[in-house]
Amino acid sequence: MKNVLILGATSDMARAIAKKHAAEGWGLTLAARDPEALDPIASDIRIRSTVDIQTVPFDAKDFANHQNLYDSLDVKPDVVIACFGYMGDQDQARSDLGEIERTIAVNFTGMATMLSVVAADFERRGSGAIAAISSVAGDRGRQSNYVYGSAKAGLTAYLSGLRNRLAKKGVHVMTVKPGFARTKMTENLELPAALTASPEQIADAVFNGLEKKKNVVYTLWPWRYIMLIIRHIPEFIFKKMKM
Amino acid sequence: MRKIADWGNYPVIEADVSGFDTADQLRRELEPPGEVIAFGNGRSYGDASLQKRMLLTRRFNKFLSFNEETGELCCQAGVLLSEILDVFVPRGWFLPVTPGTKQITIGGAIAADVHGKNHHVDGSFGQHVVSMDVMRNEGSIITCSPTENADFFKITVGGMGLSGIILSAAFKLRRIETAYIREETRRASNLDEIMDSFEASTDWTYSVAWIDCLAKGDAMGRSIMTRGEHATAGDLVNQARQSAPLKLKKGLKLDVPITLPNFALNPLSMKAFNVLYYNKTRPGTHQRVVDYNGFFYPLDAIDNWNRIYGKRGFTQYQFVIPKEAGRDGMRAILKRITDSGLGSFLAVLKLFGEQESFMSFPMAGYTLALDFPISVKAMELFKVLDAMVADYGGRLYLAKDSRMNAEMFEKTYPNADEFRQAIAMLNEGETKFASLQSKRIGITS
């Protein structure tokens, strides 16, 4: 049975990704900070499927422990999907050093350290695939969420470099940019239906993207073009826009 | 705040919505004063799950236990019927009762006490609930069943979410050999014929009829009767099906990507549809084996089909009248509908079996459900129909309703008063659970 390690397994998106892989017959290793939130998620999937499921504690900000965590896994994964992230309060993040540090630590540094550990093993084995949830917010810094956006921009650049390094070694790296997602963070917001993906749609896009070895996945296709346009607005105009 | 509506897109309201992953989170959501109502997957048609503060149950959707021997499944209330089918049909289990869509939550199935094509044999969904946990207004969790806290159970099944928020439920799935249904269809050329056909169909597990609500005169009530049984392995002739009797290929999924203009459905297009649909089935009896999706959920294959009714939205008028009033009553009501020319193409007729429950819709008798685009004329027609339904001793289905008045509810639900008092008692003076519907029909103030 092939195994997927899902990092940050308690989010709506991660749960949908886990269910999708279980339904397709993959064994799961679910990693998250809060075991109390993770256990019911694992037992739910155990009833839904017959695949092997392990849970492990994982803290994205505990960088020094990432190597130990990976070494301690009973089953080494064939695929790693990093879903963790932290979207703080941007107004707070403008001036609150703790909030800036946390946003960057979870969204960038934690990703970079953990995926470096994974990459080393996959490179040695000469196989494997890594997917990480980045964001369209990283495509261009905008006043509404540039701290989060810049951490995600860093992640996107990191993944692009990692992909470049590992492509020759038989290891695939995929960047996922979901756009608007219908999750607990957005349930009370009015979002345009055509641009808003459900966790299940994102899970399908991630699973299918990995099967087809896609490099960069926008879970809903209009986003690719929206961001293309946003990236190409000249800076002297862009800086005056409200975005 | 966001705009939200149920399936009929009428009414559309602005509401504050929030979901929850754990009972503790829900308890915190209930703490602030003010009324709330649970909202599942938004497939009731009217305003039964609408309110200025709504608690979304969809995220609360974990499976809690399953007994491979007895088929008893316990899951949280936000689980969709479709999720249960996806997981358990391949293992040889099916829902005990299912309505015409699988896109509803377990909480909604119990709160509206939904029925299906097997009502005359297996009753409504609530009758298959072994036990459930419900969170009350002050945050306590009450476990109830037909024997434990039976009074609370009684007002929660069919109670439209007014006694509390259903957290989880245990119910028994039924064994199946295949994912297919042995289906028989036949045409009935008028109302008498279709009613004879229903009365001769009581030994079939599933029976339902599509009825042409635009046909007049001698052809009034012309319909297509569909009956079905779960197919056994021996019923499958196709080799691919035989080798994997419980597995279905992914079906074609269609979508109505935008809300159509209001004029898309007009008397002409509806008439054309009905004539074509009726004539699609040739005279005589036809047998075939179809997968369960085709038999139970034909409309689920089209995402957002409610958009065909345009921005104005629509309502489904579903009533039941007692069997004694049956033929004459149904003829009179149907005549009124066909004369109006307002009915659309989705009209369904069914004969219910006996039902003993406190607030549920079904009763031994005939039920007819049909969609109407929202219009002033339709609203006038409903008032006339309401009076007729009430006179025949029938009632309307709360899960579909968006417009009946308190007087109609009072007259037609025999336990209305007792229910109101029970809910008031639970609230201890401060109403916690209320919907636009519960206020409109006077269950809550």
Side-chain angles (χ1 to χ4, degrees):
Chain A
M1 190 184 289
K2 286 200 271 190
N3 178 278
V4 57
L5 166 63
I6 299 178
L7 298 163
T10 50
S11 73
D12 298 339
M13 202 187 289
R15 214 184 131 209
I17 291 171
K19 284 199 272 191
K20 173 73 182 173
H21 279 80
E24 299 282 348
W26 286 64
L28 307 178
T29 305
L30 304 177
R33 199 164 36 117
D34 178 5
E36 267 183 51
L38 187 54
D39 288 344
I41 290 174
S43 70
D44 165 61
I45 302 175
R46 284 194 186 100
I47 298 167
R48 291 173 189 257
S49 67
T50 53
V51 301
D52 297 332
I53 302 173
Q54 280 101 37
T55 59
V56 289
F58 164 74
D59 185 349
K61 295 197 299 309
D62 189 4
F63 317 130
N65 201 31
H66 287 173
Q67 183 72 51
N68 289 342
L69 169 94
Y70 191 78
D71 291 343
S72 73
L73 294 177
D74 296 337
V75 189
K76 290 289 177 282
D78 302 281
V79 167
V80 173
I81 303 175
C83 300
F84 57 88
Y86 173 69
M87 192 193 285
D89 180 340
Q90 167 72 13
D91 289 341
Q92 204 185 335
R94 283 182 184 189
S95 49
D96 180 337
L97 293 185
E99 190 71 5
I100 295 176
E101 198 180 347
R102 183 160 184 215
T103 304
I104 293 171
V106 175
N107 294 307
F108 179 67
T109 321
M111 280 276 185
T113 52
M114 185 64 207
L115 294 184
S116 298
V117 170
V118 174
D121 181 48
F122 281 9
E123 185 175 29
R124 195 179 45 74
R125 283 154 58 185
S127 68
I130 296 169
I133 309 296
S134 190
S135 170
V136 296
D139 284 6
R140 190 162 192 179
R142 291 170 292 124
Q143 62 175 345
S144 56
N145 65 350
Y146 59 87
V147 176
Y148 174 81
S150 59
K152 288 292 194 184
L155 173 61
T156 299
Y158 173 88
L159 294 170
S160 151
L162 194 64
R163 174 161 47 244
N164 189 208
R165 168 185 147 204
L166 296 177
K168 310 162 222 28
K169 305 289 172 66
V171 181
H172 181 61
V173 178
M174 182 170 91
T175 311
V176 184
K177 300 180 183 179
F180 295 143
R182 188 48 88 193
T183 65
K184 58 188 103 178
M185 285 192 280
T186 61
E187 64 200 356
N188 200 26
L189 300 179
E190 191 112 26
L191 297 174
L195 297 179
T196 309
S198 66
E200 288 73 25
Q201 279 176 307
I202 296 170
D204 286 349
V206 169
F207 185 87
N208 297 333
L210 282 167
E211 294 269 287
K212 291 181 190 146
K213 290 194 188 301
K214 294 222 171 130
N215 298 315
V216 180
V217 172
Y218 288 84
T219 53
L220 293 176
W221 65 266
W223 278 105
R224 186 178 291 274
Y225 301 97
I226 292 171
M227 296 320 294
L228 186 74
I229 294 165
I230 290 180
R231 275 202 307 272
H232 285 87
I233 300 171
E235 190 68 21
F236 70 90
I237 299 173
F238 189 79
K239 72 178 181 189
K240 293 182 186 147
M241 293 170 72
K242 278 200 175 142
M243 291 186 90
Chain B
M1 289 284 260
R2 73 183 245 225
K3 271 204 186 117
I4 197 158
D6 272 319
W7 191 240
N9 281 320
Y10 174 84
V12 181
I13 64 158
E14 288 264 340
D16 246 316
V17 308
S18 47
F20 55 95
D21 295 300
T22 63
D24 280 339
Q25 283 175 20
L26 174 60
R27 193 171 289 118
R28 280 196 292 278
E29 294 286 347
L30 292 179
E31 269 167 16
E35 296 168 353
V36 296
I37 193 75
F39 180 92
N41 206 34
R43 292 301 172 111
S44 67
Y45 282 63
D47 53 1
S49 59
L50 300 183
Q51 152 77 284
K52 56 185 184 298
R53 246 194 98 219
M54 295 160 44
L55 296 174
L56 312 184
T57 65
R58 267 296 282 132
R59 251 172 42 216
F60 198 67
N61 65 346
K62 298 191 184 80
F63 288 38
L64 302 174
S65 67
F66 181 65
N67 184 327
E68 299 278 354
E69 301 296 310
T70 61
E72 187 175 306
L73 172 67
C74 183
C75 65
Q76 292 176 333
V79 167
L80 297 178
L81 300 189
S82 63
E83 293 179 80
I84 295 173
L85 294 166
D86 287 347
V87 169
F88 289 104
V89 167
R91 298 193 214 167
W93 298 98
F94 200 76
L95 295 163
V97 163
T98 175
T101 173
K102 56 180 173 172
Q103 300 300 327
I104 67 162
T105 63
I106 288 298
I110 296 169
D113 197 13
V114 300
H115 56 266
K117 299 173 174 51
N118 56 343
H119 183 272
H120 59 286
V121 183
D122 296 305
S124 57
F125 192 88
Q127 289 164 255
H128 299 268
V129 174
V130 178
S131 86
M132 60 181 157
D133 281 359
V134 182
M135 188 174 284
R136 293 192 39 193
N137 49 354
E138 82 312 350
S140 65
I141 295 173
I142 180 167
T143 300
C144 62
S145 76
T147 52
E148 183 185 3
N149 292 315
D151 284 346
F152 192 84
F153 184 84
K154 185 175 86 169
I155 59 167
T156 301
V157 171
M160 301 309 282
L162 302 174
S163 63
I165 300 215
I166 300 170
L167 292 175
S168 63
F171 47 92
K172 273 193 187 159
L173 302 181
R174 76 163 68 212
R175 271 264 178 226
I176 49 171
E177 273 183 48
T178 75
Y180 296 89
I181 301 291
R182 180 163 56 81
E183 177 195 81
E184 189 196 280
T185 48
R186 64 207 284 193
R187 239 157 74 160
S189 52
N190 58 44
L191 193 62
D192 267 326
E193 249 185 78
I194 189 64
M195 289 180 139
D196 288 342
S197 186
F198 267 113
E199 274 151 42
S201 299
T202 46
D203 50 344
W204 285 76
T205 306
Y206 300 107
S207 64
V208 72
W210 168 85
I211 182 164
D212 180 349
C213 277
L214 298 174
K216 296 185 180 185
D218 291 344
M220 190 177 81
R222 69 178 186 175
S223 20
I224 294 164
M225 165 68 109
T226 303
R227 309 191 286 195
E229 294 292 341
H230 286 283
T232 60
D235 290 332
L236 303 182
V237 285
N238 175 314
Q239 274 209 331
R241 288 179 177 181
Q242 274 172 354
S243 60
L246 290 162
K247 295 249 162 30
L248 295 185
K249 277 200 276 234
K250 265 221 162 85
L252 185 63
K253 195 85 177 155
L254 303 172
D255 189 13
V256 180
I258 53 160
T259 302
L260 297 188
N262 288 347
F263 60 77
L265 281 194
N266 56 51
L268 257 173
S269 66
M270 293 198 226
K271 179 95 190 164
F273 174 90
N274 280 8
V275 169
L276 287 172
Y277 195 87
Y278 179 75
N279 286 300
K280 198 182 76 155
T281 303
R282 307 313 308 172
T285 303
H286 310 273
Q287 281 172 339
R288 56 177 193 157
V289 173
V290 295
D291 71 47
Y292 75 86
N293 283 318
F295 185 81
F296 290 104
Y297 314 114
L299 283 171
D300 282 346
I302 309 166
D303 280 339
N304 303 307
W305 65 259
N306 52 344
R307 288 179 179 161
I308 60 174
Y309 287 99
K311 244 190 144 78
R312 67 200 150 173
F314 72 107
T315 188
Q316 189 172 85
Y317 192 84
Q318 181 168 3
F319 66 89
V320 58
I321 55 171
K323 207 169 163 199
E324 311 84 72
R327 300 209 172 207
D328 292 344
M330 195 53 90
R331 184 170 294 109
I333 295 174
L334 197 56
K335 178 154 191 325
R336 195 68 195 73
I337 294 169
T338 56
D339 284 351
S340 79
L342 292 173
S344 81
F345 49 86
L346 298 164
V348 170
L349 181 68
K350 156 123 200 98
L351 179 58
F352 282 149
E354 295 291 335
Q355 168 105 16
E356 277 178 43
S357 52
F358 190 62
M359 278 303 293
S360 307
F361 165 68
M363 64 167 78
Y366 281 98
T367 179
L368 179 69
L370 65 163
D371 292 358
F372 292 87
I374 297 290
S375 70
V376 177
K377 271 192 192 158
M379 292 292 180
E380 280 164 8
L381 172 67
F382 297 152
K383 276 190 210 148
V384 178
L385 298 181
D386 282 358
M388 298 174 85
V389 168
D391 276 352
Y392 290 117
R395 57 179 169 246
L396 304 183
Y397 192 9
L398 294 178
K400 307 283 178 71
D401 162 62
S402 57
R403 34 73 45 198
M404 100 165 104
N405 59 26
E407 188 196 345
M408 174 70 181
F409 173 69
E410 204 69 28
K411 248 196 294 192
T412 55
Y413 276 79
N415 298 316
D417 204 42
E418 208 183 318
F419 182 59
R420 184 185 308 103
Q421 283 170 23
I423 294 297
M425 206 128 89
L426 287 174
N427 281 323
E428 293 159 5
E430 193 194 340
T431 306
K432 189 78 210 172
F433 304 106
S435 61
L436 295 185
Q437 178 181 60
S438 74
K439 291 164 187 262
R440 176 167 45 77
I441 62 178
I443 306 173
T444 59
S445 48

